[in-house]
């Protein structure tokens, strides 16, 4: 998939203004470590059938009535369930107590859980024997984050989550409908501090950082821009080659790979910031991209546009010229330059940016400023009309005087 000028969408054609979802990765290899809730669509129907058929494997000894057949409405009203939140839309029922000697998990810690989730018709939609996530980083739905902070290590519980704490209005295609509550069997296996990214091997940093970025893309496509921005920030914290002593630890190829992924993540973050109308932050993020890749056309276009909107016309013109030199056929750049020229002229149509063919532009991308049509020199039509009226009046007067004589 080609990378056009976008903010930052790989799927947009080159001649459109940037407006699409974040760019997706083509070559990223997913591994089984650092797992996240599977928000990706199942690849085939056979996969779904296989997951459904193994629904009882994770907790065979806890096939209680609430898990197998009870209506969710009854469970939300049941007196033997504990409310996790004050709105009573997130509830749990302990099936097996955990170790009370171990402190509960807190915000920012990393946990490992065994879980499976079902719809009200008991269709299995989520399942993982060893799910690892950091509380508060948006790796999973809010229901799981809130629940694990209320659990002891080793505890097994039923978790009932209203759609507000799950996948909400949009659901999750193709298996979770809109406004669908979910029921989970959940066991907290381990609690530990989040590892310092600077202690991880570069390969692990790349893998973890891209998982965070993918989660940001997931939120962006759902128009959850604040959550998307948070995921991109976390990804950028991981995507680094620095060690604890401040030195770079990666090989040259690894450093280049990390730089490439940082650029993608920064472009995505700038897009989310624009959707949140955080224009100064988006400009700063775009400049960070240009620090890593001075010829990144997406960042050049976005920077020029934001500078133009701020009234910094001279710098905006230089940046957009550079973008046009790299992509001379992109209509979005021509349109923005035309708008910039009009702003520089105070809104008067005295100059006009005209789109020129790429062959004409060549390497010289100095704006073609075509003067507007000037008024033709010579006598004004008002002056000529007035002269004709005077001449006609003189003629009429002469005729009348002759007739009287």
């Amino acid at each position: 998939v080609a990378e056009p000028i976008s903010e930052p969408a790989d799927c947009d054609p080159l001649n459109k203004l940037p407006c699409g979802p974040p760019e997706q990765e083509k070559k990223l290899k997913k591994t089984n470590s650092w797992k996240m809730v599977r928000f990706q669509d199942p690849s085939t129907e056979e996969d779904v059938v296989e997951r459904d058929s193994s629904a009882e494997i994770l907790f065979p000894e806890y096939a209680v009535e609430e898990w197998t057949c009870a209506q969710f409405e009854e469970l939300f009203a049941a007196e033997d369930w504990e409310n996790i939140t004050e709105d009573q839309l997130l509830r749990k029922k302990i099936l097996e107590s955990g170790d009370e000697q171990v402190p509960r998990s807190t915000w920012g810690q990393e946990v490992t859980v065994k879980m499976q989730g079902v719809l009200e018709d008991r269709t299995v939609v989520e399942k993982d024997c060893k799910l690892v996530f950091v509380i508060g980083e948006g790796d999973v739905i809010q229901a799981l984050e809130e629940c694990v902070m209320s659990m002891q290590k080793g505890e097994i519980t039923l978790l009932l989550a209203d759609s507000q704490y799950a996948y909400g209005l949009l659901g999750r295609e193709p298996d979770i409908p809109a406004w669908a509550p979910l029921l989970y069997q959940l066991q907290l296996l381990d609690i530990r501090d989040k590892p310092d990214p600077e202690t991880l091997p570069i390969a692990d940093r790349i893998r973890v950082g891209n998982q965070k970025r993918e989660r940001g893309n997931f939120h962006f496509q759902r128009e959850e821009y604040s959550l998307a921005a948070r995921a991109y920030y976390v990804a950028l914290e991981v995507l680094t080659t620095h060690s604890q002593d401040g030195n770079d630890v990666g090989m040259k190829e690894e450093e280049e790979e990390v730089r490439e992924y940082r650029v993608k993540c920064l472009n995505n973050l700038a897009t989310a910031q624009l959707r949140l109308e955080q224009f100064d932050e988006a400009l700063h993020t775009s400049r960070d991209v240009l620090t890593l890749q001075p010829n990144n056309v997406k960042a050049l276009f976005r920077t020029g546009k934001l500078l133009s909107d701020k009234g910094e016309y001279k710098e905006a013109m230089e940046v957009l010229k550079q973008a046009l030199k790299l992509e001379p056929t992109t209509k979005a750049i021509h349109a923005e330059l035309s708008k910039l020229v009009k702003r520089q002229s105070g809104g008067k149509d005295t100059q006009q940016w005209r789109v020129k063919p790429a062959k004409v532009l060549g390497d010289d991308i100095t704006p073609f400023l075509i003067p507007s049509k000037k008024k033709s020199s010579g006598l004004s039509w008002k002056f000529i009309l007035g002269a004709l009226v005077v001449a006609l009046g003189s003629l009429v007067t002469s005729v009348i005087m002759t007739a009287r004589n």
Side-chain angles (χ1 to χ4, degrees):
V1 180
E3 288 195 7
I5 304 236
S6 60
E7 296 188 4
D10 283 343
C11 58
D12 287 343
L14 286 174
N15 60 354
K16 287 189 176 181
L17 283 172
C19 59
E23 53 190 303
Q24 300 294 330
E25 188 54 46
K26 296 185 293 182
K27 299 180 181 179
L28 179 62
K29 294 181 180 179
K30 297 177 183 176
T31 64
N32 292 326
S33 59
W34 294 86
K35 291 182 181 178
M36 300 170 61
V37 166
R38 294 183 177 87
F39 54 85
Q40 297 88 352
D41 296 344
S43 57
T44 62
E45 293 182 1
E46 288 75 18
D47 291 337
V48 179
V49 173
E50 181 180 353
R51 287 164 61 193
D52 289 352
S53 64
S54 60
E56 296 80 22
I57 294 177
L58 293 186
F59 302 93
E61 67 274 25
Y62 291 105
V64 294
E65 180 182 355
E66 291 97 333
W67 174 252
T68 57
C69 60
Q71 296 295 314
F72 284 4
E73 184 178 356
E74 299 174 3
L75 301 182
F76 275 115
E79 295 182 357
D80 56 344
W81 282 62
E82 174 186 344
N83 290 319
I84 299 176
T85 56
E86 294 181 357
D87 56 15
Q88 301 182 11
L89 297 178
L90 192 62
R91 314 192 76 203
K92 76 171 189 177
K93 181 178 180 180
I94 299 176
L95 301 178
E96 181 178 317
S97 299
D99 186 354
E100 296 182 357
Q101 303 300 319
V102 179
R104 286 186 169 90
S105 58
T106 59
W107 194 269
Q109 286 190 305
E110 185 180 82
V111 296
T112 303
V113 300
K114 180 166 71 171
M115 53 80 72
Q116 58 184 352
V118 298
L119 299 172
E120 190 162 14
D121 63 4
R122 272 40 181 194
T123 300
V124 178
V125 291
E126 290 186 330
K127 181 180 175 185
D128 204 315
C129 295
K130 196 175 181 182
L131 174 67
V132 178
F133 62 92
V134 177
I135 301 172
E137 291 191 355
D139 293 338
V140 296
I141 59 174
Q142 186 180 357
L144 295 178
E145 291 188 329
E146 295 284 352
C147 185
V148 296
M149 287 191 290
S150 71
M151 298 174 67
Q152 301 284 356
K153 182 178 178 180
E155 179 181 321
I156 300 175
T157 189
L158 290 176
L159 170 66
L160 181 63
D162 184 80
S163 61
Q164 292 184 32
Y165 292 94
Y167 292 94
L169 168 64
L170 299 178
R172 188 192 68 185
E173 294 184 355
D175 50 358
I176 300 180
W179 300 120
L182 296 175
L183 179 64
Y184 288 91
Q185 283 182 321
L186 188 67
Q187 182 179 16
L188 180 57
L189 300 176
D190 193 19
I191 305 170
R192 57 195 169 276
D193 291 334
K194 173 186 173 182
D196 186 345
E198 294 183 351
T199 64
L200 297 174
I202 298 298
D204 285 345
R205 300 185 200 185
I206 292 173
R207 181 176 65 250
V208 175
N210 277 293
Q211 287 179 339
K212 303 292 185 182
R213 184 174 61 86
E214 285 181 350
R215 187 65 175 179
N217 293 350
F218 171 72
H219 287 303
F220 188 97
Q221 292 165 357
R222 294 167 61 88
E223 300 183 2
E224 299 167 342
Y225 301 124
S226 294
L227 295 176
R230 181 177 65 175
Y232 295 140
Y233 275 121
V234 174
L236 289 168
E237 291 178 0
V238 179
L239 290 170
T240 176
T241 58
H242 294 304
S243 62
Q244 289 181 316
D245 58 8
N247 298 321
D248 288 337
V249 295
M251 304 291 291
K252 185 176 181 180
E253 289 146 358
E254 289 178 326
E255 291 178 1
E256 182 62 32
E257 190 175 4
V258 169
R259 184 182 299 109
E260 179 183 345
Y261 288 133
R262 280 189 68 85
V263 166
K264 292 178 182 292
C265 198
L266 285 167
N267 270 328
N268 292 356
L269 174 60
T271 305
Q273 290 168 334
L274 285 175
R275 299 300 173 90
L276 294 169
E277 298 185 356
Q278 298 173 352
F279 302 117
D280 290 337
E281 292 83 351
L283 179 58
H284 183 273
T285 303
S286 298
R287 282 175 163 158
D288 286 343
V289 175
L290 296 177
T291 301
L292 297 173
Q293 284 186 0
N295 290 332
N296 187 285
V297 183
K298 294 179 183 182
L300 286 169
F301 175 82
R302 190 183 302 112
T303 301
K305 188 176 187 305
L306 288 169
L307 287 170
S308 177
D309 292 341
K310 286 170 65 71
E312 300 178 17
Y313 300 137
K314 183 178 180 180
E315 186 180 357
M317 180 66 75
E318 293 175 356
V319 173
L320 289 172
K321 283 181 183 180
Q322 186 179 351
L324 186 64
K325 184 175 182 179
L326 296 168
E327 294 284 353
T329 60
T330 302
K331 293 183 178 180
I333 303 177
H334 288 282
E336 192 60 37
L337 279 166
S338 178
K339 186 188 299 184
L340 176 57
V341 170
K342 290 181 179 179
R343 286 175 173 175
Q344 283 181 308
S345 63
K348 298 178 181 179
D349 190 17
T350 57
Q351 300 184 71
Q352 195 171 23
W353 173 273
R354 298 285 179 84
V355 177
K356 295 293 181 181
K359 293 181 180 179
V360 176
L361 284 172
D363 291 333
D364 181 13
I365 51 79
T366 302
F368 287 80
L369 299 177
I370 309 299
S372 57
K373 294 181 180 179
K374 296 181 179 179
K375 299 176 182 178
S376 59
S377 59
L379 297 176
S380 170
W381 65 270
K382 293 182 179 180
F383 178 80
I384 296 174
L385 181 60
L388 288 175
V389 171
V390 172
L392 183 60
S394 300
L395 180 60
V396 171
T397 303
S398 177
V399 171
I400 293 175
M401 298 262 316
T402 302
R404 287 181 179 178
N405 292 335

